[in-house]
Amino acid sequence: MELDLKQGTAVLERTPSVLRALLATLGPEWIDATEGPETWSPYVIMGHLVHAERTDWIPRAEIILAQGEHRRFPLFDRFAQFHESQGKSLGDLLDEFEWRRAESLSTLTGWRLTEAQLALQGEHPAFGVVTLRQLLATWVAHDLGHLAQTARVMAKQYRDEVGPWRAYLPILDR
Amino acid sequence: MELDLKQGTAVLERTPSVLRALLATLGPEWIDATEGPETWSPYVIMGHLVHAERTDWIPRAEIILAQGEHRRFPLFDRFAQFHESQGKSLGDLLDEFEWRRAESLSTLTGWRLTEAQLALQGEHPAFGVVTLRQLLATWVAHDLGHLAQTARVMAKQYRDEVGPWRAYLPILDR
């Protein structure tokens, strides 16, 4: 379906409370669980979402809206959370994500974007020309992707414990 | 990891509030969205979770605990929600899931299951002998699987709108 700012924002504004409902106060057996070496735990995913909130969505939208000479986005560091989250508890990350997201959405709403602005372009460092509309749709899909990932990482902790039911739970082998 | 009743219950008791945070008051563009023909929308998934809560987890656990002559579970109807949800709003389903889950967990906690009880067996109509431990682990993984599915169904609505970012969002093609 087409991006509708109101519908997209309705999802974006929920994500902090969804992740809080899912993760807050859970023990390390869940929040530090992974899918194996080099894969992310719910704690790492939360750090990634905080980093993206600070450096990705709104800053990139600003580059597009400014339509200055340099419209190329700075590189996004997919691994920043491994140092940025140091010393922070999961509760800290949930709190920071919540206020940063509220700030982002306040900025987004304040822009009162027009269809013409949604068609403005920027340059992604890896794949070139992208539009503001694509960036905002990606923001929504990115939230939902990491929510699905978090649930999957957690589910996989019981991959062996479910016994023969594994055949009915495709998420355990995804 | 091994099933721990306290850790597993910590996830089970969160699911209603996670789904409420994600879905309550969203419009039909999200709650009736699917991944294509014969696939489930968030609304259908919620109906399935309500049906499972009523007919699957605790009733099957009771069959195992009773260790009667007939330990074979009745067939579970994966499509029951298509008639059972009729006339119910998504809000109705979220409410019903919440109170049924609270009731289930109250029953589960009241049993104060021992390791010996967790090893008791029942008979699954499709794949034969299963233990109570496997049933309870499956309950947790099933919740998380459908949470991941719900997020994936929603994310896919923007599959085309994200443009070249699709290459970075594996959930859109899963």
Side-chain angles (χ1 to χ4, degrees):
Chain A
M1 70 189 186
E2 281 197 14
L3 175 74
D4 171 288
L5 275 177
K6 207 167 161 186
Q7 291 172 358
T9 306
V11 172
L12 292 173
E13 70 188 12
R14 279 149 198 271
T15 309
S17 56
V18 175
L19 289 165
R20 188 182 293 281
L22 180 61
L23 299 174
T25 76
L26 280 184
E29 70 281 0
W30 293 117
I31 70 168
D32 295 328
T34 68
E35 296 171 277
E38 310 290 307
T39 65
W40 293 4
S41 67
Y43 175 83
V44 171
I45 294 166
M46 276 311 306
H48 167 72
L49 289 171
V50 168
H51 180 69
E53 203 64 23
R54 190 166 67 74
T55 70
D56 193 331
W57 313 111
I58 292 293
R60 287 179 168 191
E62 285 171 342
I63 290 171
I64 295 176
L65 287 170
Q67 289 291 294
E69 206 175 331
H70 300 290
R71 300 177 194 174
R72 188 170 196 160
F73 310 144
L75 282 170
F76 178 78
D77 181 358
R78 287 185 62 245
F79 301 98
Q81 64 275 11
F82 289 102
H83 56 85
E84 284 188 357
S85 295
Q86 275 174 21
K88 295 179 186 168
S89 68
L90 180 82
D92 293 337
L93 296 174
L94 289 168
D95 289 346
E96 184 173 351
F97 183 56
E98 184 172 73
W99 69 255
R100 286 196 185 277
R101 174 56 56 91
E103 193 176 273
S104 299
L105 293 181
S106 167
T107 300
L108 176 67
T109 309
W111 284 334
R112 298 176 180 278
L113 295 171
T114 62
E115 284 297 315
Q117 285 176 305
L118 288 173
L120 291 174
Q121 298 178 338
E123 188 189 340
H124 188 280
F127 39 67
V129 173
V130 289
T131 65
L132 180 55
R133 170 185 288 277
Q134 289 168 342
L135 176 70
L136 298 180
T138 301
W139 190 1
V140 176
H142 182 266
D143 266 25
L144 293 165
H146 283 298
L147 173 60
Q149 177 189 21
T150 302
R152 185 184 73 228
V153 171
M154 292 170 70
K156 282 190 181 175
Q157 306 314 307
Y158 284 161
R159 183 157 52 188
D160 296 329
E161 288 292 82
V162 302
W165 266 290
R166 185 164 167 176
Y168 282 18
L169 296 164
I171 193 172
L172 300 183
D173 292 288
R174 197 160 269 151
Chain B
M1 69 190 191
E2 280 198 12
L3 175 75
D4 172 287
L5 275 178
K6 208 168 159 184
Q7 292 172 357
T9 306
V11 173
L12 292 173
E13 69 189 11
R14 281 148 195 271
T15 309
S17 57
V18 175
L19 290 164
R20 187 181 293 280
L22 180 61
L23 299 174
T25 77
L26 279 182
E29 70 281 0
W30 292 117
I31 69 168
D32 294 329
T34 68
E35 296 172 278
E38 310 289 308
T39 67
W40 292 5
S41 67
Y43 175 83
V44 171
I45 293 166
M46 277 310 307
H48 167 72
L49 289 170
V50 167
H51 181 70
E53 204 62 25
R54 189 166 67 77
T55 68
D56 192 331
W57 312 112
I58 292 292
R60 286 179 169 192
E62 286 170 341
I63 290 171
I64 296 176
L65 285 170
Q67 290 292 295
E69 205 175 332
H70 299 290
R71 300 176 195 177
R72 187 170 198 160
F73 310 144
L75 281 171
F76 178 77
D77 181 358
R78 288 185 63 245
F79 301 98
Q81 64 275 13
F82 290 102
H83 56 86
E84 285 189 357
S85 296
Q86 275 174 20
K88 295 180 186 170
S89 68
L90 180 81
D92 293 337
L93 295 175
L94 289 168
D95 289 346
E96 184 173 352
F97 182 56
E98 186 172 72
W99 69 254
R100 286 197 185 276
R101 174 57 55 91
E103 191 175 276
S104 299
L105 292 181
S106 167
T107 301
L108 176 67
T109 308
W111 283 334
R112 299 175 181 278
L113 295 171
T114 62
E115 285 295 315
Q117 285 175 305
L118 289 173
L120 292 174
Q121 298 177 337
E123 188 190 339
H124 188 281
F127 39 68
V129 173
V130 289
T131 65
L132 180 54
R133 170 185 289 278
Q134 290 168 341
L135 176 71
L136 298 179
T138 300
W139 190 2
V140 176
H142 181 267
D143 266 25
L144 293 165
H146 283 298
L147 173 60
Q149 176 189 22
T150 302
R152 185 184 73 228
V153 171
M154 293 172 70
K156 283 190 181 175
Q157 307 313 308
Y158 283 162
R159 183 158 53 187
D160 296 328
E161 288 290 83
V162 301
W165 265 290
R166 184 163 168 178
Y168 282 19
L169 295 164
I171 192 171
L172 300 183
D173 292 289
R174 199 159 270 152

